[in-house]
Amino acid sequence: MSTSWGKAALLLVLALNNVAVADDVITSDTYFYGDSPAVYPSPEGTGAGDWPSAYNKAKAFVGNLSDDEKVNLTAGVSSRTGCSGYIQAINRLGFPGICVSDAGNGLRATDYVNGWTSGISVGASWNRNLAHDRGTYMGKEYRKKGVNMILGPVVGPLGRVALGGRNWEGFSTDPYLSGILVSESVTGFQSQKVATSVKHFIGNEQETNRNPTTDSAGNTIESVSSNIDDKTIHELYLWPFQDAVLAGATNIMCSYNRLNNSYGCQNSKALNGLLKTELGFQGYVVTDWGAQHAGIAGANAGLDVVMPSSETWNSNLTTAIANGTMKASRLDDMITRLMATWYYLDQDSAFPNPGVGMPSSASAAHQAVNATSQAAKPVLLQAAVESHVLVKNTKNALPLKSPKLISVFGYDAYGPMSLDLAPSSSPDLYQNGTLWVGGGSGTNSPAYLDAPIDAIQGRAYDDGSSVLWDFTSENPSVDYTSDVCLVFINAYATEGSDRKALSDSHSDTIVTNVATNCANTVVVVHNAGIRTVESWVDHVNVTGIIFAHLPGQDTGRALVEILYGDTNPSGRLPYTVAKNGSDYGSLLEPAQPEGKYEYFPQSNFDEGVYIDYRAFDKKGIEPQYAFGYGLSYTTFDYSDLNVSKKSASPSPYPAKAAIVPGGNPRLFDELVTVTATVKNTGSVDGKEVAQLYVGIPNGPVRQLRGFDKVLIKSGQSTTVSFSLTRRDLSTWDTDAQEWLLQPGTYKIYVGRNSRDLPLEATLTF
């Protein structure tokens, strides 16, 4: 059994396969033979950690199944179209089936639910408690609707490609921040006994060529291959998945792309090796919809359930067992893992009927189940508020102080012309209004939509202000008596395609034209990903800029709280904003099928761990706005940094221990405690996000390894505390296949963002 894979350099076994190269187009995948090592057999779930009771019940259940019943549970069916997927019932054993549905930010295509903030907004909040509460209340809605499993949250894509179409569904380009927030989200969801399907495992960093296509001549173009070396996959892309499994995630969704030239849902190294062996995952693996590209080979590689159905499994599974190409124990393990999840979350007890509240033209079972609640409203609003990141505020532009005349411009200020059970947005945003969520399966169904213009007019009524607006003109007329001009633009993204650019000329022109005629212009950007602002950021009349991200249904109400200072902004950027798109270099655009790889697109992750701020630091590129950056209406000072080691000389490698969900538990032993004092030196109360970065020997200049969001009253101080675990301080040793705590000097930084770290210390092991 291979236990490692080296640098993905596409080493070829040409002599054995007699494949021509040079400038010829590759037409056989034997060219890539050996890129992804084989790891067999698929490890059986053991009931490790807190899973023993669930496994005992699941094994007893499986023991009563016929072979046909076992096979039926390995793939979804379409008999309940109100759910995104459905695993059919076995009535004779009292199993009602399992309903799974999108999305990670609220149910879609249904009624009586809320449209929550998207992943990128949770990342912008840097608020672990809010992530947990959001998950909890969202989980309550899923449960009331009879949805057994949420298809989310998302930590893949991580955001390697700046123009990635689904980056907005995830939390951040940083694995540590993503890991903390996915952990809290999983815990919140599953506190309501709703399963989580953490996705997409793994290396799903672009939408371009995510699925096989055909060219005009009918030739098949395979999915893009994410070619990632062993060290990078551990230190970057696997990291948040490990945190999710550690938190108790019950399901992992495998991805469309190939990983080192083996499809993600049949990659034995990823599923059997990384997930089920190294991380000790006890739940089951499900395909993304239509991501099955192999039959028995997929099952042997660690795939457990196919969605939405399987054309290749069915009776072929029992045939494979009969002819020896698959073991009967593998089929039993697939179903045991599935049913263990059901029992683990006590869904056998007092859980609503699957899909009971999901509209379905094919079923009379739909009931008007109201899943919203008054208790959720404060969390909905606070999540929306903390989605906003104030990045520019000059001339005391904000907060607003009862302005006499507010002029509002831009296509993003108003609500959509229609809102039904399946709301959608499209790239033609100049007609579709404000952006509260991105497109594709991550779209949600809001109970209402409080658009910015509606909330602004409501506040104007209270204050006795006047409001003028023009949503359609590229060069609108500006009343010279305007106290403030608010310009609303957005940056759209959707599943299925990557973005074309990080800015657009139409939006930029609106901003520039308004600013030319208005001395106090505040720009609000609802952005489903990174949005550059180079053409107008330094305009003397652009006094304020807010990245509002995707705040969900309370978008207008939340914005008004920020604009008027009812709430002090506390959002921070979960990514780096460059001065120019070219600053992202090779990580700007997705890889394309080209040259000899025309039919087998390749995306080589040659940059290793150096994405986003790690890359900017390495190359000495000054960002427009640094990772972790965000302004407040008050100011904070830092002092009294203290670093304390728990052990004078910890071992280089973690002690051996039985693997539990999340991996070796000794990886999470606390080795170092860091504290600092933060004082609010301004005139208003506010929340600060204190951030800890570590410079690990032979690694990036600094990496986020802690954050603490604290409310500090004006003139008061508080102590922030960070715990550094063995994993936080280690690097992946590809030879030893262990996390290595290197001897040497470590740099400790604490401050406001990745480029503003006033406190420094050293740590030696």
Side-chain angles (χ1 to χ4, degrees):
M1 179 172 70
S2 175
T3 57
S4 67
W5 74 63
K7 181 68 176 176
L10 303 182
L11 300 176
L12 314 178
V13 189
L14 301 179
L16 295 176
N17 295 284
N18 193 31
V19 179
V21 284
D23 294 325
D24 296 339
V25 174
I26 297 165
T27 57
S28 170
D29 61 4
T30 56
Y31 183 90
F32 306 102
Y33 177 80
D35 281 0
S36 187
V39 178
Y40 297 100
S42 185
E44 294 185 15
T46 61
D50 58 351
W51 288 72
S53 176
Y55 262 77
N56 290 336
K57 292 176 182 179
K59 288 179 178 179
F61 180 90
V62 173
N64 288 319
L65 296 175
S66 68
D67 286 346
D68 286 344
E69 287 171 330
K70 292 177 184 178
V71 170
N72 287 343
L73 291 175
T74 65
V77 295
S78 57
S79 62
R80 286 179 180 262
T81 57
C83 306
S84 300
Y86 177 68
I87 295 173
Q88 59 190 305
I90 301 178
N91 293 322
R92 72 178 186 87
L93 295 179
F95 175 62
I98 293 175
C99 169
V100 304
S101 272
D102 296 315
N105 52 359
L107 276 166
R108 71 176 177 123
T110 190
D111 47 15
Y112 305 109
V113 292
N114 289 307
W116 291 80
T117 55
S118 296
I120 193 173
S121 292
V122 181
S125 79
W126 288 67
N127 190 329
R128 64 187 77 204
N129 295 328
L130 190 57
H132 182 277
D133 291 345
R134 168 183 173 272
T136 298
Y137 281 103
M138 208 185 305
K140 290 177 184 289
E141 295 184 21
Y142 276 74
R143 183 185 178 97
K144 285 184 179 180
K145 286 290 188 175
V147 177
N148 301 80
M149 183 168 77
I150 174 178
L151 297 177
V154 171
V155 290
L158 187 64
R160 170 184 182 255
V161 177
L163 289 170
R166 299 189 79 173
N167 291 352
W168 63 273
E169 295 185 48
F171 301 109
S172 170
T173 55
D174 181 83
Y176 181 90
L177 180 57
S178 293
I180 294 295
L181 296 176
V182 75
S183 175
E184 295 291 348
S185 298
V186 166
T187 303
F189 280 120
Q190 295 189 176
S191 71
Q192 302 308 304
K193 307 303 181 182
V194 174
T196 51
S197 179
V198 183
K199 57 187 188 180
H200 307 84
F201 194 79
I202 190 171
N204 183 183
E205 294 297 319
Q206 65 179 66
E207 293 297 281
T208 302
N209 288 102
R210 69 173 188 168
N211 277 322
T213 58
T214 55
D215 63 14
S216 58
N219 298 306
T220 297
I221 302 173
E222 300 293 338
S223 297
V224 65
S225 177
S226 298
N227 301 320
I228 316 175
D229 65 273
D230 192 26
K231 180 179 174 65
T232 298
I233 206 165
H234 278 85
E235 294 184 10
L236 216 59
Y237 301 100
L238 186 64
W239 185 289
F241 282 102
Q242 183 169 18
D243 284 330
V245 174
L246 181 66
T250 44
N251 179 268
I252 297 292
M253 181 187 291
C254 54
S255 56
Y256 287 123
N257 58 284
R258 291 177 296 146
L259 177 66
N260 293 343
N261 289 288
S262 171
Y263 272 100
C265 290
Q266 64 196 55
N267 188 301
S268 65
K269 171 62 180 179
L271 302 181
N272 289 340
L274 296 179
L275 182 61
K276 292 185 174 181
T277 299
E278 187 177 322
L279 300 190
F281 178 59
Q282 299 297 303
Y284 67 101
V285 176
V286 68
T287 64
D288 203 339
W289 268 231
Q292 183 188 31
H293 296 289
I296 307 308
N300 287 334
L303 176 61
D304 300 308
V305 174
V306 177
M307 280 292 179
S309 62
S310 175
E311 297 179 358
T312 59
W313 280 7
N314 306 320
S315 61
N316 291 332
L317 291 177
T318 51
T319 300
I321 292 171
N323 66 26
T325 54
M326 176 178 165
K327 292 184 177 180
S329 59
R330 173 77 272 258
L331 178 59
D332 284 352
D333 181 60
M334 293 159 69
I335 306 309
T336 299
R337 286 175 173 273
L338 169 70
M339 294 308 302
T341 291
W342 193 66
Y343 287 115
Y344 180 76
L345 293 170
D346 300 322
Q347 292 186 353
D348 58 323
S349 175
F351 200 93
N353 291 332
V356 65
M358 300 297 289
S360 169
S361 59
S363 171
H366 170 231
Q367 300 175 11
V369 176
N370 188 353
T372 64
S373 71
Q374 284 295 116
K377 288 188 174 180
V379 179
L380 270 160
L381 179 58
Q382 191 60 31
V385 167
E386 296 194 26
S387 171
H388 295 71
V389 182
L390 177 66
V391 296
K392 183 177 182 180
N393 189 21
T394 60
K395 301 180 182 178
N396 296 315
L398 298 174
L400 301 177
K401 303 172 182 66
S402 300
K404 293 183 177 65
L405 177 60
I406 307 162
S407 292
V408 181
F409 305 99
Y411 57 86
D412 182 74
Y414 61 93
M417 296 299 101
S418 65
L419 193 64
D420 55 26
L421 289 187
S424 62
S425 49
S426 77
D428 191 12
L429 294 174
Y430 314 137
Q431 299 176 17
N432 287 350
T434 195
L435 191 65
W436 80 91
V437 69
S441 62
T443 299
N444 55 27
S445 300
Y448 54 82
L449 189 64
D450 184 45
I453 187 61
D454 301 325
I456 290 166
Q457 292 195 79
R459 184 59 179 256
Y461 174 85
D462 293 338
D463 290 351
S465 303
S466 296
V467 182
L468 298 175
W469 61 86
D470 183 344
F471 304 141
T472 59
S473 299
E474 197 171 73
N475 189 14
S477 175
V478 178
D479 188 310
Y480 74 94
T481 67
S482 300
D483 294 289
V484 62
C485 297
L486 302 176
V487 183
F488 289 86
I489 60 175
N490 61 43
Y492 176 74
T494 182
E495 177 184 6
S497 63
D498 293 306
R499 296 164 62 197
K500 302 301 182 185
L502 295 178
S503 62
D504 70 272
S505 59
H506 175 71
S507 303
D508 290 341
T509 299
I510 295 172
V511 173
T512 301
N513 287 340
V514 171
T516 299
N517 296 288
C518 183
N520 189 23
T521 300
V522 175
V523 184
V524 179
V525 187
H526 286 108
N527 54 313
I530 297 168
R531 210 291 186 182
T532 52
V533 293
E534 62 267 28
S535 68
W536 43 265
V537 64
D538 294 323
H539 195 296
V540 66
N541 289 340
V542 174
T543 55
I545 302 173
I546 296 174
F547 287 118
H549 299 105
L550 304 172
Q553 67 190 36
D554 280 334
T555 176
R557 186 176 290 105
L559 175 65
V560 164
E561 285 212 3
I562 295 291
L563 290 176
Y564 285 83
D566 300 336
T567 298
N568 196 341
S570 64
R572 303 292 184 263
L573 293 176
Y575 50 77
T576 299
V577 178
K579 289 181 178 292
N580 300 284
S582 59
D583 289 343
Y584 295 102
S586 62
L587 302 183
L588 173 62
E589 299 177 340
Q592 302 285 344
E594 57 187 4
K596 63 185 179 184
Y597 302 116
E598 179 180 350
Y599 300 124
F600 296 91
Q602 304 293 308
S603 181
N604 297 325
F605 288 44
D606 295 330
E607 73 283 347
V609 299
Y610 293 96
I611 68 170
D612 201 73
Y613 70 90
R614 292 168 170 82
F616 280 69
D617 290 344
K618 180 181 181 181
K619 298 174 182 178
I621 300 173
E622 182 184 358
Q624 185 69 63
Y625 298 116
F627 174 83
Y629 179 82
L631 298 176
S632 169
Y633 294 149
T634 189
T635 54
F636 300 95
D637 280 353
Y638 286 75
S639 62
D640 303 327
L641 180 63
N642 182 270
V643 180
S644 174
K645 290 195 294 185
K646 296 286 185 179
S647 172
S649 55
S651 60
Y653 298 107
K656 299 296 183 182
I659 299 299
V660 297
N664 184 341
R666 300 282 72 81
L667 281 175
F668 305 99
D669 290 342
E670 182 181 309
L671 299 186
V672 176
T673 299
V674 179
T675 61
T677 299
V678 183
K679 182 177 182 179
N680 183 339
T681 55
S683 58
V684 296
D685 301 345
K687 292 179 181 178
E688 171 68 326
V689 181
Q691 301 167 38
L692 167 69
Y693 294 81
V694 178
I696 299 174
N698 304 306
V701 174
R702 59 187 67 87
Q703 302 180 68
L704 182 70
R705 286 295 185 263
F707 63 93
D708 193 6
K709 189 164 193 175
V710 288
L711 173 62
I712 311 175
K713 293 186 177 297
S714 174
Q716 300 297 306
S717 298
T718 193
T719 299
V720 292
S721 181
F722 312 94
S723 173
L724 292 172
T725 68
R726 175 180 285 275
R727 184 181 64 149
D728 293 334
L729 296 166
S730 297
T731 57
W732 181 251
D733 186 328
T734 57
D735 293 328
Q737 289 294 288
E738 290 277 10
W739 286 96
L740 169 64
L741 183 68
Q742 303 171 81
T745 300
Y746 294 66
K747 295 287 188 67
I748 305 294
Y749 307 92
V750 174
R752 303 172 185 87
N753 59 70
S754 68
R755 288 292 179 100
D756 186 359
L757 299 163
L759 304 183
E760 295 185 19
T762 58
L763 175 68
T764 303
F765 287 110

